[in-house]
Amino acid sequence: MDNLALYHELERLLRMDSRWCTEDGVLMRNAVVEAALAVDPDLVGRLMGHDGLRRNFFTEAGGVMVFDKVRFQRFVMSKSFLPDSYTSYKNKIGLVADDGSFIADSREVVLAWPHKDCVLEGGQTREDARRQETFWNELLAPDDIDRLTEPKALTGWQRYDSSGAHAVDAVAPTDNLIIKGNNLLVLHSLKRLYGGRVKLIYIDPPFNTGNDSFGYNDSFRHSTWLTFMKNRLEVAWQLLKQEGSVICVQCDDNECARLKVLMDEIFGMENHVTTVVVKSSTPSGLKTAHRDKTLIKTKDYIHIYKRGQIRVSPQYIPRAEWDSHYSNYLDRDNLKVYSLVDVLISNGILPAGSKLKDISMTNTKFRQFYKSHKNEIFRYQPIMPEVHKQESLKHPGEVYCYGVDGEYNYAMNGRRFSFISESINVLENGDEELGLLLCDLWTDIDFQNTQNEGGIDFPSGKKPERLLLRLMKLFTDEGDIVMDYHLGSGTTAAVAHKMKRQYIGVEQMDYIESLAVKRLQNVIKGEQSGISKITGWQGGGSFVYCELALLNQRFADEIIAAGDHDRLRDIWERMQQTGFLSWSVKPKDVDVNAKDFRELSLDDAKRLLIECLDKNMLYVPLSEMDNDEYGMSDSDKRLNKQFYSNRR
């Protein structure tokens, strides 16, 4: 029995059981596969009772029939089983392999992670097209790739400084860069120039929630999302300095666990520094959530991995509550010890009858008091040199003064005075406060009021400048290179600019100019939002903007924007003239005027034409930019040659 007959027989058999069909009579592949993997007795019995199906999915071993559930799963998931009109059309023009699966899906894959060895370019062009462009996220098998990751030519060069935008005469190795284009291809293009030079990579990629505020395709299946991330993280690792660099990837519960395992595999478990938990939202609608048997999400995660040995600059956050151990006050003039509460009452800071628990860090007068009396407020510390401890014990109830390393120290009853000045730290904002060493739970950064940071309006999804300030203070110094290849609204670049770090930002969405570029122009002009006051930012500096030079990507953009089949017909005619079609396509069989093509839905017709494009030629290869057919200007050619020869 051939495969086609088997498909029909299996469909007939499955329709005999309502468990495998919806109320509308549609067979549910996933339900059938789950039953097969669980070796469902009823399903196995039905298959065994059919001669053709038994011969194909069972093997005799020692007198026992063994069910080959893996083969059955592949058979059921084949695109030739229950084909739709789109699949039938692909069969006709050669985009389906001999075994009935799509060419891009025909390689052996790990069941836990399909297409792990493939490449997902992750195309996207417009913010409002997130749900309509899922087909543009095409997986390319390794044997379909030849020139995909070669360096690409850049165009649209502009330098922005305090006097506006200018033509670029030359690009220096120390220039800040903002690049528009597919981030996977940009990363590969930058390998030769920036490999082993980047100190910090921070990315805030699509969270795979189906509701991301950016225009990315943010509703991938888990395996597809992991492929998307893996392709980019592998090349990002090559850009990091071999000693003392880190990569920080922000995510939420949707992919946190899977992403951690993926990063362990790419970077090595031994290089995991920590996973920071960040409070990213304030709970609301608690009653509704609990009624619906859910818990409010208020946190994100940042997985941090190092390359080589890193140096972490200690950072401090203010205490939320007063440390009750600091309950004493030393009158240095008279060497007398008093209760801190009594001193605060006598100074009118606390009302009469107050207790130690009534001291509040939010009391402005108290904050001023403890800062100005940081060498009088103390707690007892039992650790002190033994000789001085014994001497102090000889004078019970008296303040004992002794010198160590040229400084005066105080003790009473064998216990040293530890003044609050020893715990005063310089915080991120430059204030001196009674601080706590920063740990891996960050609840003090405001994610709710960032809408207008940088002078741009992006109401949700924008990360606070304080978050990037903290990461850069922890892991970088002035002059280090910082990269963000999911630049979004431009927070990473804006913070790096204000902190005098060199930066590279990559974004493929069209809003790069209205968000990131505009924001950086505001930074250069001295805008005062975000961390400007903390860093003393007054403006200045510059950055260079450029774009990947489009080739087949132009056709992809036109296809996505097409409003009807007639427009697609015109695009197809021009596509054939370039010669940059997929090797697997039979152009003569793609008749855009034929009834079966025009009966395809508009999305399926778009999908078909996009798959006909050679994905290796979406952008102009650097090695071929001198070809006249690509239309690169002499200025672009000169700047590309100069840029790619830079190496500091």
Side-chain angles (χ1 to χ4, degrees), residues 222-245:
H222 294 301
S223 60
T224 307
W225 186 88
L226 286 170
T227 303
F228 171 87
M229 294 297 295
K230 173 178 177 286
N231 299 153
R232 287 149 181 80
L233 290 173
E234 286 175 333
V235 62
W237 185 246
Q238 300 175 48
L239 295 171
L240 288 173
K241 296 181 70 171
Q242 294 188 6
E243 284 296 325
S245 60

PDB file of all heavy atoms in Angstrom, residues 222-245:
ATOM      1  N   HIS A 222       7.662  27.157  21.323  1.00  0.00           N
ATOM      2  CA  HIS A 222       8.864  27.180  22.168  1.00  0.00           C
ATOM      3  C   HIS A 222      10.119  26.802  21.387  1.00  0.00           C
ATOM      4  O   HIS A 222      11.168  27.450  21.505  1.00  0.00           O
ATOM      5  CB  HIS A 222       8.685  26.230  23.354  1.00  0.00           C
ATOM      6  CG  HIS A 222       7.625  26.658  24.315  1.00  0.00           C
ATOM      7  ND1 HIS A 222       7.649  27.867  24.968  1.00  0.00           N
ATOM      8  CD2 HIS A 222       6.498  26.045  24.725  1.00  0.00           C
ATOM      9  CE1 HIS A 222       6.586  27.972  25.744  1.00  0.00           C
ATOM     10  NE2 HIS A 222       5.873  26.883  25.611  1.00  0.00           N
ATOM     11  N   SER A 223      10.043  25.740  20.600  1.00  0.00           N
ATOM     12  CA  SER A 223      11.235  25.280  19.887  1.00  0.00           C
ATOM     13  C   SER A 223      11.706  26.299  18.861  1.00  0.00           C
ATOM     14  O   SER A 223      12.905  26.510  18.675  1.00  0.00           O
ATOM     15  CB  SER A 223      10.964  23.934  19.209  1.00  0.00           C
ATOM     16  OG  SER A 223       9.911  24.052  18.281  1.00  0.00           O
ATOM     17  N   THR A 224      10.750  26.964  18.190  1.00  0.00           N
ATOM     18  CA  THR A 224      11.118  27.975  17.208  1.00  0.00           C
ATOM     19  C   THR A 224      11.775  29.166  17.895  1.00  0.00           C
ATOM     20  O   THR A 224      12.783  29.701  17.424  1.00  0.00           O
ATOM     21  CB  THR A 224       9.875  28.442  16.433  1.00  0.00           C
ATOM     22  OG1 THR A 224       9.213  27.296  15.900  1.00  0.00           O
ATOM     23  CG2 THR A 224      10.255  29.372  15.300  1.00  0.00           C
ATOM     24  N   TRP A 225      11.222  29.578  19.027  1.00  0.00           N
ATOM     25  CA  TRP A 225      11.793  30.692  19.783  1.00  0.00           C
ATOM     26  C   TRP A 225      13.214  30.356  20.234  1.00  0.00           C
ATOM     27  O   TRP A 225      14.110  31.196  20.174  1.00  0.00           O
ATOM     28  CB  TRP A 225      10.902  31.006  20.986  1.00  0.00           C
ATOM     29  CG  TRP A 225      11.316  32.232  21.755  1.00  0.00           C
ATOM     30  CD1 TRP A 225      10.936  33.512  21.518  1.00  0.00           C
ATOM     31  CD2 TRP A 225      12.173  32.279  22.898  1.00  0.00           C
ATOM     32  NE1 TRP A 225      11.507  34.361  22.443  1.00  0.00           N
ATOM     33  CE2 TRP A 225      12.276  33.629  23.293  1.00  0.00           C
ATOM     34  CE3 TRP A 225      12.880  31.317  23.619  1.00  0.00           C
ATOM     35  CZ2 TRP A 225      13.036  34.046  24.388  1.00  0.00           C
ATOM     36  CZ3 TRP A 225      13.645  31.720  24.700  1.00  0.00           C
ATOM     37  CH2 TRP A 225      13.721  33.066  25.075  1.00  0.00           C
ATOM     38  N   LEU A 226      13.423  29.131  20.689  1.00  0.00           N
ATOM     39  CA  LEU A 226      14.760  28.736  21.137  1.00  0.00           C
ATOM     40  C   LEU A 226      15.751  28.732  19.978  1.00  0.00           C
ATOM     41  O   LEU A 226      16.918  29.097  20.140  1.00  0.00           O
ATOM     42  CB  LEU A 226      14.705  27.354  21.795  1.00  0.00           C
ATOM     43  CG  LEU A 226      14.068  27.328  23.185  1.00  0.00           C
ATOM     44  CD1 LEU A 226      13.850  25.892  23.640  1.00  0.00           C
ATOM     45  CD2 LEU A 226      14.933  28.073  24.186  1.00  0.00           C
ATOM     46  N   THR A 227      15.297  28.313  18.795  1.00  0.00           N
ATOM     47  CA  THR A 227      16.172  28.366  17.623  1.00  0.00           C
ATOM     48  C   THR A 227      16.535  29.807  17.303  1.00  0.00           C
ATOM     49  O   THR A 227      17.703  30.127  17.033  1.00  0.00           O
ATOM     50  CB  THR A 227      15.481  27.723  16.407  1.00  0.00           C
ATOM     51  OG1 THR A 227      15.112  26.369  16.730  1.00  0.00           O
ATOM     52  CG2 THR A 227      16.395  27.721  15.194  1.00  0.00           C
ATOM     53  N   PHE A 228      15.543  30.676  17.338  1.00  0.00           N
ATOM     54  CA  PHE A 228      15.757  32.109  17.128  1.00  0.00           C
ATOM     55  C   PHE A 228      16.822  32.642  18.090  1.00  0.00           C
ATOM     56  O   PHE A 228      17.751  33.353  17.695  1.00  0.00           O
ATOM     57  CB  PHE A 228      14.414  32.811  17.330  1.00  0.00           C
ATOM     58  CG  PHE A 228      14.463  34.312  17.355  1.00  0.00           C
ATOM     59  CD1 PHE A 228      14.381  35.046  16.185  1.00  0.00           C
ATOM     60  CD2 PHE A 228      14.559  34.994  18.562  1.00  0.00           C
ATOM     61  CE1 PHE A 228      14.402  36.439  16.211  1.00  0.00           C
ATOM     62  CE2 PHE A 228      14.573  36.376  18.601  1.00  0.00           C
ATOM     63  CZ  PHE A 228      14.497  37.102  17.418  1.00  0.00           C
ATOM     64  N   MET A 229      16.707  32.293  19.365  1.00  0.00           N
ATOM     65  CA  MET A 229      17.654  32.770  20.372  1.00  0.00           C
ATOM     66  C   MET A 229      19.027  32.131  20.197  1.00  0.00           C
ATOM     67  O   MET A 229      20.063  32.799  20.287  1.00  0.00           O
ATOM     68  CB  MET A 229      17.111  32.475  21.769  1.00  0.00           C
ATOM     69  CG  MET A 229      15.854  33.247  22.132  1.00  0.00           C
ATOM     70  SD  MET A 229      16.111  35.037  22.184  1.00  0.00           S
ATOM     71  CE  MET A 229      17.260  35.181  23.539  1.00  0.00           C
ATOM     72  N   LYS A 230      19.049  30.829  19.942  1.00  0.00           N
ATOM     73  CA  LYS A 230      20.309  30.096  19.837  1.00  0.00           C
ATOM     74  C   LYS A 230      21.183  30.652  18.718  1.00  0.00           C
ATOM     75  O   LYS A 230      22.389  30.875  18.899  1.00  0.00           O
ATOM     76  CB  LYS A 230      20.029  28.620  19.594  1.00  0.00           C
ATOM     77  CG  LYS A 230      21.266  27.759  19.302  1.00  0.00           C
ATOM     78  CD  LYS A 230      20.856  26.308  19.120  1.00  0.00           C
ATOM     79  CE  LYS A 230      22.038  25.427  18.756  1.00  0.00           C
ATOM     80  NZ  LYS A 230      22.462  25.629  17.352  1.00  0.00           N
ATOM     81  N   ASN A 231      20.597  30.884  17.548  1.00  0.00           N
ATOM     82  CA  ASN A 231      21.367  31.394  16.412  1.00  0.00           C
ATOM     83  C   ASN A 231      22.088  32.681  16.775  1.00  0.00           C
ATOM     84  O   ASN A 231      23.235  32.906  16.370  1.00  0.00           O
ATOM     85  CB  ASN A 231      20.451  31.678  15.224  1.00  0.00           C
ATOM     86  CG  ASN A 231      19.724  30.450  14.715  1.00  0.00           C
ATOM     87  OD1 ASN A 231      18.647  30.554  14.149  1.00  0.00           O
ATOM     88  ND2 ASN A 231      20.289  29.264  14.901  1.00  0.00           N
ATOM     89  N   ARG A 232      21.433  33.547  17.511  1.00  0.00           N
ATOM     90  CA  ARG A 232      21.996  34.861  17.827  1.00  0.00           C
ATOM     91  C   ARG A 232      22.956  34.807  19.013  1.00  0.00           C
ATOM     92  O   ARG A 232      23.985  35.487  19.013  1.00  0.00           O
ATOM     93  CB  ARG A 232      20.848  35.848  18.102  1.00  0.00           C
ATOM     94  CG  ARG A 232      20.121  36.226  16.816  1.00  0.00           C
ATOM     95  CD  ARG A 232      18.653  36.531  17.007  1.00  0.00           C
ATOM     96  NE  ARG A 232      18.027  36.869  15.725  1.00  0.00           N
ATOM     97  CZ  ARG A 232      17.641  35.978  14.828  1.00  0.00           C
ATOM     98  NH1 ARG A 232      17.783  34.676  15.068  1.00  0.00           N
ATOM     99  NH2 ARG A 232      17.109  36.365  13.686  1.00  0.00           N
ATOM    100  N   LEU A 233      22.626  34.007  20.028  1.00  0.00           N
ATOM    101  CA  LEU A 233      23.502  33.917  21.195  1.00  0.00           C
ATOM    102  C   LEU A 233      24.852  33.300  20.841  1.00  0.00           C
ATOM    103  O   LEU A 233      25.889  33.688  21.393  1.00  0.00           O
ATOM    104  CB  LEU A 233      22.819  33.096  22.293  1.00  0.00           C
ATOM    105  CG  LEU A 233      21.620  33.759  22.978  1.00  0.00           C
ATOM    106  CD1 LEU A 233      20.930  32.771  23.910  1.00  0.00           C
ATOM    107  CD2 LEU A 233      22.053  35.003  23.742  1.00  0.00           C
ATOM    108  N   GLU A 234      24.851  32.347  19.920  1.00  0.00           N
ATOM    109  CA  GLU A 234      26.114  31.712  19.536  1.00  0.00           C
ATOM    110  C   GLU A 234      27.092  32.710  18.927  1.00  0.00           C
ATOM    111  O   GLU A 234      28.288  32.690  19.238  1.00  0.00           O
ATOM    112  CB  GLU A 234      25.840  30.563  18.561  1.00  0.00           C
ATOM    113  CG  GLU A 234      25.254  29.337  19.219  1.00  0.00           C
ATOM    114  CD  GLU A 234      24.883  28.253  18.220  1.00  0.00           C
ATOM    115  OE1 GLU A 234      24.597  28.578  17.045  1.00  0.00           O
ATOM    116  OE2 GLU A 234      24.870  27.071  18.619  1.00  0.00           O
ATOM    117  N   VAL A 235      26.611  33.595  18.076  1.00  0.00           N
ATOM    118  CA  VAL A 235      27.518  34.569  17.464  1.00  0.00           C
ATOM    119  C   VAL A 235      27.798  35.715  18.433  1.00  0.00           C
ATOM    120  O   VAL A 235      28.904  36.282  18.439  1.00  0.00           O
ATOM    121  CB  VAL A 235      26.955  35.090  16.120  1.00  0.00           C
ATOM    122  CG1 VAL A 235      25.655  35.818  16.296  1.00  0.00           C
ATOM    123  CG2 VAL A 235      27.961  35.974  15.413  1.00  0.00           C
ATOM    124  N   ALA A 236      26.830  36.051  19.302  1.00  0.00           N
ATOM    125  CA  ALA A 236      27.065  37.091  20.310  1.00  0.00           C
ATOM    126  C   ALA A 236      28.212  36.695  21.231  1.00  0.00           C
ATOM    127  O   ALA A 236      29.032  37.537  21.623  1.00  0.00           O
ATOM    128  CB  ALA A 236      25.787  37.328  21.121  1.00  0.00           C
ATOM    129  N   TRP A 237      28.297  35.409  21.554  1.00  0.00           N
ATOM    130  CA  TRP A 237      29.377  34.909  22.416  1.00  0.00           C
ATOM    131  C   TRP A 237      30.741  35.178  21.794  1.00  0.00           C
ATOM    132  O   TRP A 237      31.711  35.474  22.492  1.00  0.00           O
ATOM    133  CB  TRP A 237      29.169  33.414  22.647  1.00  0.00           C
ATOM    134  CG  TRP A 237      30.115  32.761  23.613  1.00  0.00           C
ATOM    135  CD1 TRP A 237      31.044  31.815  23.345  1.00  0.00           C
ATOM    136  CD2 TRP A 237      30.185  32.980  25.024  1.00  0.00           C
ATOM    137  NE1 TRP A 237      31.695  31.426  24.479  1.00  0.00           N
ATOM    138  CE2 TRP A 237      31.184  32.123  25.530  1.00  0.00           C
ATOM    139  CE3 TRP A 237      29.505  33.814  25.905  1.00  0.00           C
ATOM    140  CZ2 TRP A 237      31.518  32.087  26.890  1.00  0.00           C
ATOM    141  CZ3 TRP A 237      29.840  33.772  27.258  1.00  0.00           C
ATOM    142  CH2 TRP A 237      30.838  32.915  27.728  1.00  0.00           C
ATOM    143  N   GLN A 238      30.817  35.111  20.477  1.00  0.00           N
ATOM    144  CA  GLN A 238      32.090  35.351  19.792  1.00  0.00           C
ATOM    145  C   GLN A 238      32.497  36.823  19.828  1.00  0.00           C
ATOM    146  O   GLN A 238      33.669  37.153  19.675  1.00  0.00           O
ATOM    147  CB  GLN A 238      32.002  34.884  18.345  1.00  0.00           C
ATOM    148  CG  GLN A 238      31.701  33.399  18.193  1.00  0.00           C
ATOM    149  CD  GLN A 238      31.513  32.998  16.742  1.00  0.00           C
ATOM    150  OE1 GLN A 238      32.314  33.344  15.880  1.00  0.00           O
ATOM    151  NE2 GLN A 238      30.436  32.293  16.460  1.00  0.00           N
ATOM    152  N   LEU A 239      31.521  37.718  20.026  1.00  0.00           N
ATOM    153  CA  LEU A 239      31.829  39.144  20.078  1.00  0.00           C
ATOM    154  C   LEU A 239      32.359  39.571  21.442  1.00  0.00           C
ATOM    155  O   LEU A 239      33.031  40.599  21.555  1.00  0.00           O
ATOM    156  CB  LEU A 239      30.581  39.960  19.728  1.00  0.00           C
ATOM    157  CG  LEU A 239      30.057  39.801  18.293  1.00  0.00           C
ATOM    158  CD1 LEU A 239      28.713  40.488  18.145  1.00  0.00           C
ATOM    159  CD2 LEU A 239      31.043  40.382  17.290  1.00  0.00           C
ATOM    160  N   LEU A 240      32.060  38.816  22.493  1.00  0.00           N
ATOM    161  CA  LEU A 240      32.485  39.190  23.836  1.00  0.00           C
ATOM    162  C   LEU A 240      33.992  39.056  24.018  1.00  0.00           C
ATOM    163  O   LEU A 240      34.624  38.170  23.441  1.00  0.00           O
ATOM    164  CB  LEU A 240      31.778  38.315  24.869  1.00  0.00           C
ATOM    165  CG  LEU A 240      30.289  38.566  25.096  1.00  0.00           C
ATOM    166  CD1 LEU A 240      29.723  37.496  26.018  1.00  0.00           C
ATOM    167  CD2 LEU A 240      30.048  39.947  25.672  1.00  0.00           C
ATOM    168  N   LYS A 241      34.559  39.934  24.846  1.00  0.00           N
ATOM    169  CA  LYS A 241      35.972  39.823  25.202  1.00  0.00           C
ATOM    170  C   LYS A 241      36.208  38.480  25.883  1.00  0.00           C
ATOM    171  O   LYS A 241      35.370  38.006  26.648  1.00  0.00           O
ATOM    172  CB  LYS A 241      36.372  40.960  26.143  1.00  0.00           C
ATOM    173  CG  LYS A 241      36.270  42.344  25.536  1.00  0.00           C
ATOM    174  CD  LYS A 241      36.702  43.419  26.517  1.00  0.00           C
ATOM    175  CE  LYS A 241      38.218  43.354  26.740  1.00  0.00           C
ATOM    176  NZ  LYS A 241      38.682  44.537  27.517  1.00  0.00           N
ATOM    177  N   GLN A 242      37.339  37.876  25.619  1.00  0.00           N
ATOM    178  CA  GLN A 242      37.609  36.552  26.180  1.00  0.00           C
ATOM    179  C   GLN A 242      37.851  36.601  27.678  1.00  0.00           C
ATOM    180  O   GLN A 242      37.725  35.589  28.364  1.00  0.00           O
ATOM    181  CB  GLN A 242      38.796  35.911  25.458  1.00  0.00           C
ATOM    182  CG  GLN A 242      38.509  35.610  23.999  1.00  0.00           C
ATOM    183  CD  GLN A 242      39.609  34.812  23.336  1.00  0.00           C
ATOM    184  OE1 GLN A 242      40.554  34.386  23.996  1.00  0.00           O
ATOM    185  NE2 GLN A 242      39.501  34.614  22.039  1.00  0.00           N
ATOM    186  N   GLU A 243      38.192  37.757  28.208  1.00  0.00           N
ATOM    187  CA  GLU A 243      38.381  37.904  29.646  1.00  0.00           C
ATOM    188  C   GLU A 243      37.559  39.068  30.169  1.00  0.00           C
ATOM    189  O   GLU A 243      37.620  40.177  29.634  1.00  0.00           O
ATOM    190  CB  GLU A 243      39.860  38.136  29.988  1.00  0.00           C
ATOM    191  CG  GLU A 243      40.718  36.885  29.914  1.00  0.00           C
ATOM    192  CD  GLU A 243      40.303  35.833  30.936  1.00  0.00           C
ATOM    193  OE1 GLU A 243      39.884  36.201  32.043  1.00  0.00           O
ATOM    194  OE2 GLU A 243      40.398  34.639  30.610  1.00  0.00           O
ATOM    195  N   GLY A 244      36.758  38.808  31.186  1.00  0.00           N
ATOM    196  CA  GLY A 244      36.090  39.871  31.912  1.00  0.00           C
ATOM    197  C   GLY A 244      34.862  40.462  31.273  1.00  0.00           C
ATOM    198  O   GLY A 244      34.532  41.619  31.544  1.00  0.00           O
ATOM    199  N   SER A 245      34.136  39.728  30.447  1.00  0.00           N
ATOM    200  CA  SER A 245      32.936  40.253  29.796  1.00  0.00           C
ATOM    201  C   SER A 245      31.710  39.467  30.241  1.00  0.00           C
ATOM    202  O   SER A 245      31.816  38.352  30.755  1.00  0.00           O
ATOM    203  CB  SER A 245      33.073  40.196  28.274  1.00  0.00           C
ATOM    204  OG  SER A 245      33.260  38.861  27.842  1.00  0.00           O
TER     205      SER A 245
END
